[in-house]
Amino acid sequence: MRRPTRYAAVFLTALALLAAGCSGGGGASDAGRITLRFQSLAWQQDSVAANKQLVAEWNRTHPDVRVEYVQGSWDSVHDQLLTSFEGGEAPDIIHDASDDLADFAYGGDLAELGGLLPATLRDAIPGASWQTTTFDKGVYGVPFLQEPRMIIANRALLVKSGVRIPTADTPWTWEEFQQSAKKLTGNGTYGVAWPLKEPVSSTLNLSLSTGGQIFRRGADGKVTVRFDAADQAVPRAVHDMVNTDHSAARATLGMGGSDTLPGFFGGKYAMVPLGFSYRQQIQQQAPKGFDWIVLPAPMGPDGNRAQGVSPQTLSVSEDCAHKKEAVRFIDFLLRTDNVVRLAKGDWMLPTATAALRDPALHTDQNGWSTGTALAPYLRSAPAQSVRGYPEWKDKVATPAFQEYYSGAIGLDELRHRLVTDGNRVLARYQR
C-alpha cells in the first residue's frame, strides 16, 4: 500500500510542472517524446563507460523514448531512494542490489514487473536468480549481475608454504583454509586479511556453505533471527583466525577491501577474501611481476559450496508514467551481448545463462574461469526478503559482528544481540 504523503508530493509536483509549462522526470513526455531517467550505480571506469555507451546506443535507435543517464552512488543509494520516493522525485529506472529492495517493494515504491517482462528476458535468467527479486509472489527487479566472494592470493607465498592450492573443482574446507592461513603466517606475513568494515553481508553469504541461514520464516510468514551452530561456524572461524591462531591481521577488520591491497601487494597478507569485482583493481594496481591467483571460497560439510549473493538489479519506480517503455529499455540493456559488456565492465558474472557461456568469461586470465565455475552454486542471500534488514544490519548486526571479530565480546553476547535485539527491530516491520 502506498503512503498517503506521496500522493500529496506527486500532486504538488504535477501542479508545479504544469504551472511552469514544462516536463520533468518521472517518464514525462516532451513534444511527443518520452524521457526516462536511469539512475546507474556503476562506479568502475569500464563499467561507467559501458553503461553510458549502451544508453547512447538506445537513444540513437529509439528517438521516441529518450533515456537520461543519472549517476548514483552505492554509498548512499538506500537513503537517497527513501528521500526521492517520499518526494515523488524517484528515477524511472533504478539500479540497486536485491537485498535493498524488500522495504521498497513492500512499501509500494517499486512497480511489479511480472506482467511487463518479455518472455525472452524471463527465460534468460534462472529461477534461482529471480527468487532474489520476488516478494509476495511479485517481481520487483531484474537481477542481472552477481558477485561471488573469492580468495585472492599471492601465488608465490602459497607455493613457498607448501599448502595445497585449491581449484574451482576442489576448494578448501573451512578447516583447510584455517590451517593454510596458519602455514602462511610468519616472517612479517599474515596468512589472511579479512576486510570487514561492512561484515554482515559477507558473513551471511559465506555461511550458506555451512548451512547457516540466520533468518527463519515461520508458518505465519514472519521472519525471526536465529543463531544456531550452523550460523556460528563461519563467524567462529574468522574470530579464531584473528584471536586464537593470530593468522589474520586484526588491523584489517576495520578496512574496506581496497584498503587491504597495498599490504597484499607488499607481502603483508598472503590472502584476502574479496568480491569477484576487486580483480579489476588488483589487475590495474598490482606491481609489475606480482603473481596473484583467484581461489574459490571454502566449502562446508559434505562438499557444500553454496554461497549467497545479492545480484545487482534494475527496477522501475511505481511513479513512472511509462512503465512499458522503461521495461523495454531494461530488456535492451540486458540482451546477451549487452549484459556481457556490462559484466566485463564491472568484472562480475551475469545471471543470464547464455551470457555466462560467453568465451570471454571462461578464460583463466584474471581468474574469470574460477568465478564462472561457481555460478551454479550461487543462491539467494539470506536477507533478500527480510523487511527491516537495512536497520537490523546497520544498528544491530554490524556493531555486534565488529566487536565479536575483534575479540571485544564473546559468542554468547553476539548471539544475544543478533537474536534478542535483532528480533525487536524486525518485529516493528511485521506488525
Side-chain angles (χ1 to χ4, degrees):
M1 183 177 293
R2 297 175 56 72
R3 292 185 287 274
T5 54
R6 194 170 307 108
Y7 282 124
V10 173
F11 179 68
L12 290 172
T13 300
L15 285 178
L17 291 173
L18 288 171
C22 63
S23 62
S29 298
D30 182 11
R33 183 177 67 178
I34 295 168
T35 298
L36 299 172
R37 295 171 64 235
F38 164 43
Q39 178 171 291
S40 170
L41 302 181
W43 64 277
Q44 301 200 79
Q45 182 177 348
D46 291 349
S47 180
V48 172
N51 276 273
K52 288 185 175 180
Q53 288 166 6
L54 288 170
V55 169
E57 289 177 21
W58 167 273
N59 287 334
R60 282 197 302 270
T61 56
H62 298 79
D64 58 327
V65 181
R66 182 175 182 273
V67 172
E68 291 182 354
Y69 181 94
V70 179
Q71 187 62 61
S73 170
W74 286 108
D75 293 336
S76 58
V77 64
H78 184 79
D79 290 341
Q80 179 256 324
L81 287 175
L82 279 174
T83 301
S84 63
F85 283 132
E86 280 292 345
E89 295 293 335
D92 300 292
I93 302 154
I94 299 166
H95 181 190
D96 203 351
S98 57
D99 63 355
D100 192 40
L101 299 186
D103 288 347
F104 298 133
Y106 287 119
D109 299 305
L110 300 177
E112 202 285 304
L113 302 178
L116 298 173
L117 295 171
T120 51
L121 181 56
R122 272 191 169 277
D123 294 343
I125 298 172
S129 294
W130 284 115
Q131 289 177 8
T132 67
T133 59
T134 300
F135 308 96
D136 280 348
K137 299 182 180 180
V139 176
Y140 292 89
V142 181
F144 70 107
L145 294 180
Q146 53 193 346
E147 181 173 28
R149 302 285 297 188
M150 315 294 290
I151 301 170
I152 313 297
N154 182 320
R155 191 197 306 263
L157 292 179
L158 263 64
V159 171
K160 182 179 178 180
S161 72
V163 302
R164 179 180 76 84
I165 298 180
T167 67
D169 294 328
T170 58
W172 280 325
T173 63
W174 279 98
E175 292 76 16
E176 283 183 289
F177 179 42
Q178 286 182 257
Q179 292 302 316
S180 296
K182 284 184 183 180
K183 290 182 180 179
L184 288 160
T185 300
N187 299 319
T189 298
Y190 286 98
V192 63
W194 280 102
L196 291 172
K197 182 179 180 180
E198 300 290 342
V200 181
S201 63
S202 57
T203 301
L204 268 60
N205 290 339
L206 289 172
S207 291
L208 286 188
S209 67
T210 62
Q213 287 287 337
I214 299 285
F215 300 106
R216 270 69 169 185
R217 190 175 296 275
D220 59 358
K222 293 185 177 180
V223 175
T224 55
V225 182
R226 292 173 57 178
F227 195 58
D228 300 332
D231 307 302
Q232 297 169 10
V234 169
R236 289 179 67 174
V238 176
H239 173 276
D240 289 351
M241 286 180 179
V242 175
N243 299 283
T244 303
D245 303 339
H246 304 293
S247 60
R250 183 184 304 274
T252 66
L253 293 176
M255 293 183 179
S258 299
D259 300 327
T260 63
L261 296 185
F264 176 59
F265 297 147
K268 190 173 182 179
Y269 320 121
M271 302 182 290
V272 188
L274 292 168
F276 197 47
S277 66
Y278 276 92
R279 296 169 303 126
Q280 183 183 37
Q281 290 184 60
I282 294 170
Q283 190 270 338
Q284 292 176 341
Q285 299 173 15
K288 185 177 181 179
F290 183 78
D291 189 11
W292 56 281
I293 186 173
V294 178
L295 309 177
M299 62 182 177
D302 301 320
N304 184 358
R305 298 161 65 184
Q307 185 179 146
V309 289
S310 298
Q312 292 187 19
T313 57
L314 294 171
S315 300
V316 177
S317 170
E318 176 62 24
D319 286 341
C320 176
H322 300 281
K323 296 181 179 64
K324 290 183 179 179
E325 289 77 8
V327 171
R328 280 176 56 204
F329 172 71
I330 291 174
D331 184 47
F332 164 82
L333 205 63
L334 302 186
R335 291 175 185 171
T336 299
D337 290 346
N338 291 347
V339 80
V340 170
R341 289 166 64 181
L342 294 175
K344 290 168 64 179
D346 243 336
W347 289 58
M348 296 176 68
L349 299 179
T351 58
T353 304
L356 269 170
R357 292 197 293 262
D358 191 281
L361 307 182
H362 289 266
T363 175
D364 290 338
Q365 186 177 10
N366 296 323
W368 275 107
S369 59
T370 302
T372 306
L374 297 182
Y377 305 100
L378 301 180
R379 302 287 183 267
S380 175
Q384 295 295 166
S385 59
V386 178
R387 297 198 66 183
Y389 169 73
E391 182 179 345
W392 176 84
K393 178 185 70 172
D394 293 342
K395 295 184 178 179
V396 177
T398 293
F401 276 122
Q402 286 174 335
E403 291 184 45
Y404 173 67
Y405 288 144
S406 70
I409 63 173
L411 192 65
D412 288 343
E413 177 63 16
L414 173 64
R415 184 180 185 280
H416 171 77
R417 292 196 194 179
L418 294 178
V419 176
T420 304
D421 296 347
N423 282 327
R424 195 175 294 125
V425 170
L426 297 189
R428 294 204 309 272
Y429 290 82
Q430 302 181 94
R431 290 171 181 164

